[in-house]
Each structure stands twice: as structure tokens, then as C-alpha cells.
């Protein structure tokens, strides 16, 4: 997954592939993992949700099944979407909503 986050003043624009979305205040970012792939969803008040689905290499998808100590650090090494989610202040399967939310 290739993503670029640009910030100029108060405006933040996320570009994933050929898709762009302006991130406004009140944005909710969620990352979910599944057997068939990962999903990054961005919800903003008054707009349709922005969803990006992607797949990891099969070795990364199966790593939790054969690695006994698979944890968040391992997952971050395998899935760049987790770093992006954390950068945007979102939640994922490993980490819930921030305490101050």
C-alpha cells in the first residue's frame, strides 16, 4: 500500500494510489484485518466513507498462524496500514480508541 499524507497549514490530504481525500476535523479512521485482506476506512461528518481495501503477501497473512509470539510489533512490520492508522489517530484490531476520545 503506497500512501502519502500532505499537510499545508490546517489542511491535510491523504493520497492512496490515484485516490485523494481531504481530511477534515472530526475524522474517524479504522483499520481492520481479515482473512481475505485489510481495510482502511475513513469517515467524516457529512461525507460518504472512504474505504481502501488491500492485501498483504500471503506469507504476511499467514504469519499469525505459525508465529507463536506474533504481536503488534510483528503486525506493524508486515502491514504499513497500521502505521498510517496510528499517524491519523485511528483505531485498529490491536489498539482501541484513545483514552482521551
Amino acid at each position: 500500500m503506497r500512501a502519502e499524507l500532505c499537510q499545508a497549514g490546517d489542511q491535510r490530504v491523504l493520497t492512496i494510489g490515484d485516490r485523494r481525500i481531504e481530511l477534515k476535523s472530526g475524522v474517524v479512521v479504522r483499520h481492520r484485518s481479515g482473512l481475505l485482506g485489510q481495510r482502511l476506512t475513513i469517515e467524516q461528518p457529512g461525507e460518504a466513507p472512504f474505504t481502501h481495501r488491500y492485501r498483504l503477501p500471503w506469507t504476511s497473512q499467514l504469519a499469525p498462524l505459525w508465529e507463536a509470539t506474533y504481536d503488534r510489533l510483528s503486525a506493524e512490520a508486515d502491514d504499513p496500514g497500521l502505521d498510517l492508522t496510528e499517524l491519523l489517530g485511528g483505531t485498529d484490531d490491536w489498539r482501541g480508541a484513545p483514552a482521551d476520545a
Side-chain angles (χ1 to χ4, degrees):
M1 176 174 86
R2 182 184 164 124
E4 180 180 342
L5 180 64
C6 298
Q7 186 165 351
D10 292 338
Q11 183 181 18
R12 296 187 308 167
V13 176
L14 176 64
T15 305
I16 300 177
D18 60 348
R19 300 174 67 196
R20 297 173 57 119
I21 181 171
E22 181 180 340
L23 302 174
K24 301 172 184 169
S25 62
V27 65
V28 175
V29 179
R30 291 186 182 95
H31 178 281
R32 297 296 176 252
S33 300
L35 290 175
L36 300 177
Q38 280 55 29
R39 184 175 64 242
L40 180 72
T41 304
I42 300 173
E43 298 175 357
Q44 301 187 95
E47 294 194 23
F50 174 93
T51 301
H52 178 70
R53 291 178 179 83
Y54 62 99
R55 291 185 183 206
L56 299 174
W58 68 270
T59 53
S60 297
Q61 290 179 352
L62 297 177
L65 300 176
W66 68 61
E67 188 176 326
T69 60
Y70 196 84
D71 60 3
R72 180 168 177 86
L73 293 176
S74 300
E76 286 176 347
D78 293 339
D79 187 353
L82 290 171
D83 290 331
L84 179 60
T85 302
E86 185 173 346
L87 179 67
L88 297 174
T91 62
D92 56 56
D93 297 329
W94 294 95
R95 187 176 299 166
D100 59 351

